[in-house]
Amino acid sequence: MEFHQIRFFLALADTLNFTRAAELCDVSQPALSRAIKKLEEELGAPLVRRERGRTHLTDLGARIRPRLEQSLALAEAAKSEADEFARMDRATLTLGVMCTIGPARLIALVDHLTRELPEIELRLLEGSGPAIVERLLAGEFDVALAGMPAYPDEVAVQSLYQERYVVAFPAGHRFETMPVVPRRELRGERYLQRINCEYPAHVAAEIGPYDMPVEVLYESEHEDWIQAMIIAGMGCACMPEFMPLYPELKTRVLTEPELSRTISILTVRGRPHSPVVRLFHTLSKAALARAAAPDHNETA
């Protein structure tokens, strides 16, 4: 069964006239008749009958008409998508990234995307979680990556990976002798506050209003500054486990409760997506499935 046969049959089913159907399909009437006859031979039964100068569908023709309409629609959609894919040589993918997503796994993802889709111009723009969602809904991003406790109903969410929350501290700190750090152990610690820290939101979502029993010495939205100051012995900070940038930084998992966040791909429900966005979903899963989790020296 070939798609031109299906197209000819559906035109005949709509018009019930061989001449008009041939005109709609831009073929001669004998060519259309041959295609319909061949289709009937392949199916093993007549699809149309001519009686007293009138054409009508047989019971089989009427029964399979909806299935053939669906098949033709799917084939045309596939061809349209293939045509879009062939034109991707000038496509741009604008990716919004929550600024607290650590680079270890993100670099593996970006490297995989640029190798698999070298013809795509990839633009990465950072922001806080709420800002990323707002700009995604406004149409500034094709797709986004974020790890928030909740999202608006308009946002479609596809999970990529999970990461726990840890406390980061300098070498020689008392936390280094502990296999994990209960949250109560933070009480009285010299603390470096990450301005875009999402840990309080996850604590609030999990156990209620968040109270930070620490002495906040310094606040910054620059993750590298915070981490450099921790290494220098100026204090500690809570962060996602894949956030640390430097091997000198020591970490332990925070417990009581142990919390984690899910990094997800965000798109807007109902918004048409290009083949590039659909490929991004597929390639992201493949890249991160192969990415080895960084060593966060939790038992060092």
Side-chain angles (χ1 to χ4, degrees), residues 163-211:
E163 57 180 341
R164 298 167 296 180
Y165 282 100
V166 300
V167 58
F169 51 88
H173 191 281
R174 66 186 181 92
F175 290 161
E176 199 166 6
T177 63
M178 305 168 64
V180 296
V181 176
R183 194 166 67 98
R184 65 177 180 273
E185 292 291 336
L186 296 176
R187 188 172 301 277
E189 283 290 329
R190 293 158 55 88
Y191 197 81
L192 305 175
Q193 179 66 52
R194 300 167 50 241
I195 287 178
N196 292 312
C197 181
E198 61 292 284
Y199 180 65
H202 283 271
V203 173
E206 189 75 20
I207 63 175
Y210 178 74
D211 61 316

Side-chain angles (χ1 to χ4, degrees), residues 90-120:
R90 294 183 179 85
T92 298
L93 179 68
T94 303
L95 173 62
V97 180
M98 189 171 171
C99 58
T100 63
I101 295 178
R105 289 198 167 189
L106 190 58
I107 287 173
L109 169 58
V110 171
D111 178 62
H112 185 69
L113 289 173
T114 53
R115 283 189 287 104
E116 292 295 319
L117 298 173
E119 66 278 16
I120 302 303

